[in-house]
Amino acid sequence: MENTTDFLEIKVDTEKKLLYGKWLRNVDNREYKAGLRQLYQLIINHSISLWLQNSEHLQPRNAEDQKWAAEEFALLLSQSSMKQLAVVSPKATPHYAILCSMREKAYRIFGKTKQVELFETNEAALKWLTPHLLFYRLPAATIS
């Protein structure tokens, strides 16, 4: 598996079944797919049900990446233990509208078997993912 540590920060809370990923910079097509594949493998390995993905640094994906994420990657997620995905991407960024479009396409193809919401901040996303844990904080350990 490709080393993604220079463009993707990953943390896992195995007790809460929560995965946190953050793109550290904009990535190319190869890095984008490698990063999502690594995150998916962690979802499978740890029976993750909650996923917070910070995409603030991503630029809008090209049509090929959008198609792959909304169709192939979404199919994998639809068959996984993941129940909720919170994506952080401020509304002011060009990537926000693309993410909304990709979410709607995935919903049309696979139905709403998984909840996907977009948020402006990690804090807002965590409140949605862990409403019963008032002061929840992400784990400090990073997976490489």
Side-chain angles (χ1 to χ4, degrees):
M1 183 175 285
E2 180 175 346
N3 181 2
T4 58
T5 57
D6 71 321
F7 60 85
L8 184 61
E9 175 185 357
I10 301 172
K11 299 177 181 184
V12 175
D13 182 335
T14 56
E15 183 181 317
K16 302 290 187 253
K17 301 292 183 193
L18 186 140
L19 170 65
Y20 172 76
K22 179 179 181 179
W23 299 105
L24 300 175
R25 59 173 171 77
N26 191 38
V27 293
D28 63 28
N29 173 277
R30 179 186 52 77
E31 293 169 328
Y32 180 69
K33 288 181 179 180
L36 288 179
R37 285 184 183 114
Q38 181 178 6
L39 291 163
Y40 173 74
Q41 195 58 54
L42 290 167
I43 290 169
I44 298 305
N45 292 349
H46 298 285
S47 300
I48 296 295
S49 58
L50 307 172
W51 178 13
L52 192 168
Q53 183 61 43
N54 187 311
S55 296
E56 291 177 280
H57 296 297
L58 281 188
Q59 294 298 309
R61 308 315 306 159
N62 64 29
E64 177 188 339
D65 282 353
Q66 290 177 47
K67 181 176 173 38
W68 178 84
E71 295 175 10
E72 294 179 44
F73 188 69
L75 174 61
L76 294 174
L77 290 180
S78 73
Q79 299 168 348
S80 76
S81 59
M82 199 269 304
K83 293 179 178 24
Q84 293 177 282
L85 168 58
V87 180
V88 174
S89 181
K91 289 181 183 178
T93 64
H95 193 60
Y96 183 87
I98 301 260
L99 288 169
C100 288
S101 175
M102 289 169 58
R103 174 185 62 183
E104 295 310 311
K105 182 176 183 179
Y107 278 164
R108 283 193 307 276
I109 295 170
F110 304 108
K112 293 188 177 182
T113 58
K114 312 294 182 183
Q115 293 181 304
V116 179
E117 293 295 334
L118 280 73
F119 297 91
E120 296 260 341
T121 66
N122 280 348
E123 293 75 20
L126 278 173
K127 282 181 186 177
W128 179 70
L129 287 171
T130 60
H132 54 288
L133 302 172
L134 194 57
F135 299 107
Y136 179 77
R137 297 291 174 251
L138 292 169
T142 300
I143 293 180
S144 54

